[in-house]
């Protein structure tokens, strides 16, 4: 069952790699939040009650609900609905993401015998999610898609932190601190400002400073 | 005493945000800078450990002293900067508050004894310095801030991946205190350690400004106000470098010295190569100084990679670079104030228009490229000699060649700006004496270090190098 959930987590990344609709990205991010919540609740096996409450609140309330709702608010307000002319076609994007996931599964099977201390399945999927997150950032051109790519990267890191077999609560809690960046990006500080200055929130508008 | 260093500035920042008075901003910044300097000197005289999480040892006292001294100079410079600034009171209060939190978080990076805590403070430095870069509210500064936040947040995420890998490899203990990591270094699983080091090097290296993760650095340094550029270059890069040095020591103790050394050498050479490529045809003098910071961080990485006497050179270079670059950036602020342009083309006849600034500009140039009375000469000479001793002749030739290109690039721009006939000044009034004083103080300090290398300076650097 747990393995099925983790596979679903990987599928959300494959889905993101083929879609151009921003709302689909948001749905994928919300789904990842729910999956992380289920994993924390049923598989993390922490012995500290406070830690469990904190992490389940963070994953469900923040990652799965608050951030996606706020994202939807931002895209409706700014009228951004599609990722226009990404750097590569959807087909190549899917091919590359699939290759990344194939490598992830290979790592997962290889670690089963070779490395102790980790849960192989978590490890393989989280590595491929981190790499795919970086790939999304590189290949998409809207500022908001970059921020969402960073969120997926961060969810991958959260999964990686869960993959340590021993219990190291503060490592998982530290991953949550990366959400502060997301908050900074989103809470009007920038998205709205950037929107004012560069009407189309396109990353090419941010290329004036160079040598 | 830890309360003074971490919590006092945060409390002061809150006070500033509530009161929003410009005079208060100036007074608080200056007083806190004086307090930080005094406390740092006291800590140097009587080392003390505060709590399990914060400690002053022989290595970080050097970083703390450099931070305190550079910040004190910048705080004196900032008096004029804030007084003449026409930004609304809210922006000024936000600026000062962020500045204090920025200093507090760098102090935290320097003093923390725990890898995870160090990481948290590195994240805090990123968040608190974003507004400082954005202070002018221009489109260009917005772009610079966005790049800074985004690239550094990815870097911090990558460093966190490295920390997770390191935790996976921990043997019987699960503590990330540096002392425990050093003590148990040989029991860390070598596979995970080898995987963790490049991630942490790339992650913290993003903040240090190592190429090829340097993309944010020239933008942020050129678009932020000059006192902020001085702080970014003179203190922030050092603080992030301390993280790499601490992790590098784990590698040494775990018997993977060669692996870490080679990675540091590679990243150092890429950095000085990239800076040489850009600096030779640079058009903007603040960007030129930023590329020079990349070069100097590369030199420190090479010093660390060479090892042995290279450690002493690294520490000396780090201190010397901070003071020189702070003076250089503050002077560039005076030039910008007078000529209203960051283009090298637009600045002519600096020596005739404003002799004090002109001479400071020339002296800082001599300091940064390492002309003999200045300590950067000593550190570069020392690392070159160590490389000969280690039989690294080809890398040495490459090193000296790239340094020469950097020197030529900076020299061309500085001489072009200093000499020639004076152009019509847009702004003829001289900056106040406080805009010159810090630079002279830094240069005096550098000359004292370079000419005699006083015994106590030598001892600080030697003790720090011994802990690497």
């Amino acid at each position: 069952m747990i393995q099925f959930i983790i596979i679903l987590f990987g599928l959300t990344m494959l889905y993101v790699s083929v879609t151009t609709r921003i709302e689909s990205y948001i749905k994928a991010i919300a789904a990842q939040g729910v999956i992380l919540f289920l994993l924390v609740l049923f598989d993390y096996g922490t012995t500290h009650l406070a830690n469990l409450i904190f992490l389940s609140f963070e994953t469900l309330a923040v990652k799965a609900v608050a951030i996606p709702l706020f994202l939807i608010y931002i895209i409706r307000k700014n009228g951004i609905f599609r990722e226009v002319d990404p750097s590569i076609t959807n087909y190549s994007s899917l091919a590359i993401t699939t290759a990344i996931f194939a490598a992830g599964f290979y790592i997962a099977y290889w670690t089963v015998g070779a490395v102790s201390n980790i849960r192989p399945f978590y490890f393989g999927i989280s590595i491929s999610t981190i790499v795919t997150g970086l790939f999304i950032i590189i290949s998409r051109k809207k500022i908001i898609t970059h921020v969402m790519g960073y969120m997926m990267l961060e969810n991958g890191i959260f999964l990686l932190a869960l993959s340590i077999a021993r219990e190291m609560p503060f490592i998982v809690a530290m991953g949550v601190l990366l959400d502060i960046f997301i908050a900074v990006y989103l809470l009007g500080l920038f998205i709205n400002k950037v929107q004012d200055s560069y009407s189309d929130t396109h990353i090419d508008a941010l290329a004036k400073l160079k040598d | 005493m830890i309360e003074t260093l971490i919590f006092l500035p945060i409390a002061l920042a809150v006070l500033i945000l509530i009161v929003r008075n410009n005079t208060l901003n100036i007074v608080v910044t200056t007083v806190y800078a004086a307090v930080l300097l005094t406390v740092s000197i006291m800590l140097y005289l009587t080392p003390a450990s505060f709590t399990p999480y914060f400690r002053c040892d022989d290595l970080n006292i050097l970083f703390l002293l450099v931070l305190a001294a550079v910040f004190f100079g910048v705080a004196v410079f900032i008096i004029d900067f804030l007084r003449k600034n026409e930004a609304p009171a809210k922006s000024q209060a936000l600026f000062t508050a962020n500045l204090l939190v920025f200093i507090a978080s760098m102090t935290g990076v320097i003093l923390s004894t725990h890898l995870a805590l160090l990481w948290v403070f590195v994240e805090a430095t990123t968040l608190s310095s974003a507004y400082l870069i954005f202070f002018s509210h221009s489109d260009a500064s917005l772009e610079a801030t966005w790049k800074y936040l985004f690239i550094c947040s990815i870097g911090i995420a990558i460093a966190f991946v490295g920390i997770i890998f390191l935790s996976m490899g921990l043997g019987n203990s699960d503590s990330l205190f540096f002392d425990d990591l050093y003590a148990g270094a040989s029991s860390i699983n070598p596979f995970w350690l080898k995987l963790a080091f490049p991630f942490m090097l790339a992650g913290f290296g993003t903040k240090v400004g190592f190429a090829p993760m340097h993309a944010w650095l020239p933008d942020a340094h050129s678009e932020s106000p000059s006192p902020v550029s001085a702080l970014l270059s003179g203190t922030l890069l050092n603080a992030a470098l301390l993280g790499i040095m601490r992790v590098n020591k784990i590698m040494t103790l775990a018997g993977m010295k060669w692996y870490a050394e080679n990675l540091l050498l590679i990243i150092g050479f890429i950095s000085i190569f990239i800076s040489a490529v850009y600096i030779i045809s640079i058009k903007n003098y603040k960007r030129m100084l930023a590329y020079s910071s990349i070069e100097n961080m590369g030199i420190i990485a090479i010093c660390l990679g060479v090892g042995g006497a290279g450690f002493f050179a690294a520490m000396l270079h780090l201190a010397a670079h901070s003071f020189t670059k702070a003076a250089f950036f503050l002077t560039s602020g005076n030039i910008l104030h007078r000529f209203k342009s960051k283009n090298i083309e637009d600045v002519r006849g600096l020596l005739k228009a404003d002799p004090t600034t002109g001479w400071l500009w020339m002296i800082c140039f001599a300091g940064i490229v390492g002309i003999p009375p200045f300590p950067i000469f000593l550190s570069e000479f020392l690392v070159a000699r160590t490389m000969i001793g280690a039989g690294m002749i080809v890398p040495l030739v490459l090193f000296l060649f790239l340094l020469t290109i950097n020197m030529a690039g900076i020299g061309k721009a500085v001489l072009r700006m200093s000499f020639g006939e004076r152009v019509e000044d847009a702004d003829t009034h001289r900056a106040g004496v406080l805009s010159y004083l810090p630079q002279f103080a830094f240069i005096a300090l550098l000359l004292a270090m370079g000419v005699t290398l006083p015994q106590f300076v030598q001892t600080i650097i030697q003790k720090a190098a011994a802990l690497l």
Side-chain angles (χ1 to χ4, degrees):
Chain A
M1 184 60 195
I2 293 297
Q3 298 205 339
F4 174 72
I5 294 177
I6 298 175
I7 297 269
L8 268 184
F9 190 92
L11 278 179
T12 59
M13 293 306 287
L14 286 177
Y15 176 54
V16 162
S17 72
V18 289
T19 184
T20 54
R21 277 173 54 82
I22 306 281
E23 285 204 24
S24 318
Y25 284 65
I26 300 175
K27 281 179 198 154
I29 286 172
Q32 290 182 356
V34 174
I35 292 171
L36 288 176
F37 167 70
L38 293 176
L39 290 176
V40 165
L41 207 58
F42 295 118
D43 201 41
Y44 180 47
T46 177
T47 44
H48 302 276
L49 184 64
N51 198 29
L52 182 68
I53 293 170
F54 169 68
L55 286 178
S56 28
F57 171 80
E58 210 279 331
T59 46
L60 189 66
V62 180
K63 280 185 196 287
V65 178
I67 291 179
L69 281 182
F70 194 69
L71 278 168
I72 286 181
Y73 168 76
I74 288 176
I75 65 161
R76 298 237 163 105
K77 193 174 162 221
N78 293 353
I80 319 165
F81 296 107
R82 275 182 188 281
E83 170 71 37
V84 278
D85 73 286
S87 305
I88 59 171
T89 62
N90 280 340
Y91 177 75
S92 343
S93 176
L94 180 64
I96 291 172
T97 316
T98 314
I100 293 171
F101 271 88
F105 278 111
Y106 177 76
I107 292 175
Y109 282 113
W110 170 77
T111 45
V112 169
V115 189
S116 55
N117 290 349
I118 57 162
R119 311 185 212 193
F121 220 54
Y122 277 80
F123 187 69
I125 295 281
S126 60
I127 295 288
S128 25
T129 307
I130 292 168
V131 178
T132 314
L134 283 174
F135 170 69
I136 300 269
I137 293 173
I138 294 165
S139 62
R140 306 302 199 263
K141 284 190 175 167
K142 286 216 181 265
I143 286 174
I144 194 149
T145 353
H146 279 209
V147 173
M148 288 195 276
Y150 186 77
M151 285 179 204
M152 293 164 198
L153 167 83
E154 198 226 321
N155 285 343
I157 290 177
F158 194 92
L159 195 65
L160 183 67
L162 291 180
S163 76
I164 308 178
R166 238 166 345 139
E167 194 189 351
M168 294 184 81
F170 68 89
I171 288 280
V172 183
M174 270 165 71
V176 172
L177 281 175
L178 287 171
D179 273 343
I180 296 175
F181 278 121
I182 307 290
V184 170
Y185 293 144
L186 294 184
L187 281 176
L189 233 171
F190 265 95
I191 289 291
N192 290 325
K193 282 282 185 185
V194 173
Q195 176 72 9
D196 289 342
S197 306
Y198 310 105
S199 52
D200 56 354
T201 40
H202 202 272
I203 203 74
D204 291 346
L206 294 177
K208 287 201 205 87
L209 295 177
K210 60 186 170 200
D211 290 297
Chain B
M1 225 181 289
I2 190 62
E3 293 81 1
T4 342
L5 292 181
I6 311 272
F7 294 111
L8 177 71
I10 294 174
L12 288 174
V14 174
L15 176 77
I16 282 172
L17 282 178
I18 295 170
V19 180
R20 286 187 192 173
N21 176 310
N22 205 9
T23 320
L24 180 78
N25 294 348
I26 294 171
V27 171
V28 165
T29 312
T30 326
V31 169
Y32 178 64
V35 169
L36 181 63
L37 189 60
T38 320
V39 172
S40 309
I41 292 172
M42 276 163 61
L43 282 173
Y44 161 66
L45 295 173
T46 48
S49 73
F50 315 104
T51 65
Y53 291 97
F54 297 99
R55 195 181 56 208
C56 218
D57 59 23
D58 285 339
L59 177 60
N60 62 18
I61 188 69
L62 174 74
F63 287 75
L64 190 64
L65 286 170
V66 170
L67 169 72
V70 169
F71 179 53
F72 187 71
V74 170
V76 171
F77 188 91
I78 264 181
I79 296 176
D80 255 10
F81 172 79
L82 281 180
R83 217 163 42 192
K84 291 194 182 126
N85 205 284
E86 281 142 18
K90 190 185 162 199
S91 304
Q92 300 224 14
L94 260 177
F95 178 85
T96 321
N98 271 293
L99 183 69
L100 291 175
V101 176
F102 180 46
I103 300 295
S105 45
M106 281 194 290
T107 318
V109 173
I110 290 171
L111 291 179
S112 57
T113 58
H114 191 277
L115 181 57
L117 194 63
L118 183 140
W119 180 87
V120 172
F121 276 114
V122 170
E123 183 177 344
T125 60
T126 312
L127 292 168
S128 53
S129 51
Y131 186 77
L132 304 180
I133 297 171
F134 182 56
F135 183 58
S136 71
H137 289 75
S138 65
D139 280 4
S141 71
L142 179 63
E143 178 183 340
T145 313
W146 176 259
K147 281 186 187 167
Y148 171 67
L149 266 180
F150 204 73
I151 295 174
C152 287
S153 65
I154 292 178
I156 288 163
I158 298 289
F160 184 51
V161 172
I163 294 177
I164 297 177
F165 284 157
L166 179 65
S167 327
M168 287 172 174
L170 287 181
N172 22 33
S173 87
D174 58 358
S175 147
L176 284 179
F177 281 101
F178 288 116
D179 283 347
D180 296 336
L181 287 171
Y182 294 158
S186 49
S187 68
I188 300 175
N189 183 331
F191 170 80
W192 289 115
L193 194 52
K194 267 189 202 168
L195 200 57
F197 184 72
F199 277 90
M200 284 193 262
L201 180 64
F204 291 127
T206 309
K207 286 290 283 191
V208 181
F210 287 142
M213 293 83 71
H214 67 285
W216 64 272
L217 197 146
D219 294 351
H221 282 62
S222 70
E223 294 311 319
S224 53
S226 297
V228 176
S229 318
L231 278 179
L232 288 176
S233 196
T235 58
L236 175 67
L237 307 187
N238 294 351
L241 199 58
L242 181 65
I244 293 180
M245 289 175 177
R246 300 263 198 214
V247 177
N248 186 34
K249 171 130 191 225
I250 304 175
M251 298 296 287
T252 311
L253 290 173
M256 275 180 283
K257 203 169 177 335
W258 56 273
Y259 179 76
E261 279 179 350
N262 283 333
L263 283 177
L264 281 166
L265 280 176
I266 291 169
I267 213 160
F269 272 105
I270 295 176
S271 300
I272 55 175
F273 172 74
I274 292 283
S275 96
V277 167
Y278 282 100
I279 229 167
I280 196 71
S281 58
I282 201 89
K283 295 195 174 56
N284 172 324
Y285 55 87
K286 282 192 85 178
R287 293 179 77 85
M288 172 184 85
L289 300 186
Y291 279 110
S292 158
S293 293
I294 298 175
E295 177 213 352
N296 282 288
M297 290 300 131
I299 294 174
I300 295 174
I302 291 172
C303 293
L304 292 173
V306 170
F311 287 153
F312 183 86
M315 287 296 145
L316 180 62
H317 196 94
L318 183 135
H321 167 253
S322 292
F323 295 132
T324 321
K325 195 49 73 61
F328 220 163
F329 264 119
L330 294 182
T331 311
S332 84
N334 291 349
I335 299 176
L336 181 60
H337 184 64
R338 176 172 277 270
F339 288 85
K340 304 276 178 264
S341 166
K342 290 177 198 155
N343 276 338
I344 294 169
E345 292 275 307
D346 298 338
V347 183
R348 277 284 175 286
L350 203 52
L351 282 170
K352 284 185 181 154
D354 182 354
T356 325
T357 307
W359 281 112
L360 275 173
W361 196 238
M362 301 274 285
I363 294 171
C364 290
F365 159 66
I368 206 72
V369 298
I371 288 174
F374 287 100
I376 284 190
F377 170 75
L378 288 180
S379 56
E380 286 174 356
F381 179 75
L382 192 59
V383 71
R385 210 185 59 183
T386 317
M387 281 165 103
I388 296 176
M392 304 164 71
I393 301 302
V394 177
L396 175 67
V397 173
L398 189 62
F399 177 68
L400 294 178
F401 175 67
L402 290 172
L403 284 195
T404 315
I405 296 182
N406 276 301
M407 184 175 180
I410 304 176
K412 198 171 75 175
V414 167
L415 297 181
R416 206 186 153 101
M417 290 163 71
S418 304
F419 293 102
E421 286 310 306
R422 66 185 288 180
V423 288
E424 278 303 305
D425 280 350
D427 181 7
T428 45
H429 87 272
R430 278 171 63 91
V433 65
L434 292 181
S435 309
Y436 297 104
L437 211 57
Q439 291 95 307
F440 281 115
F442 287 144
I443 289 168
L445 199 62
L446 286 166
L447 284 175
M449 277 167 76
V451 176
T452 59
L453 201 59
Q455 190 58 47
F456 77 94
V457 176
Q458 207 174 338
T459 317
I460 296 177
I461 296 176
Q462 250 161 8
K463 277 185 177 172
L467 273 191
L468 283 177

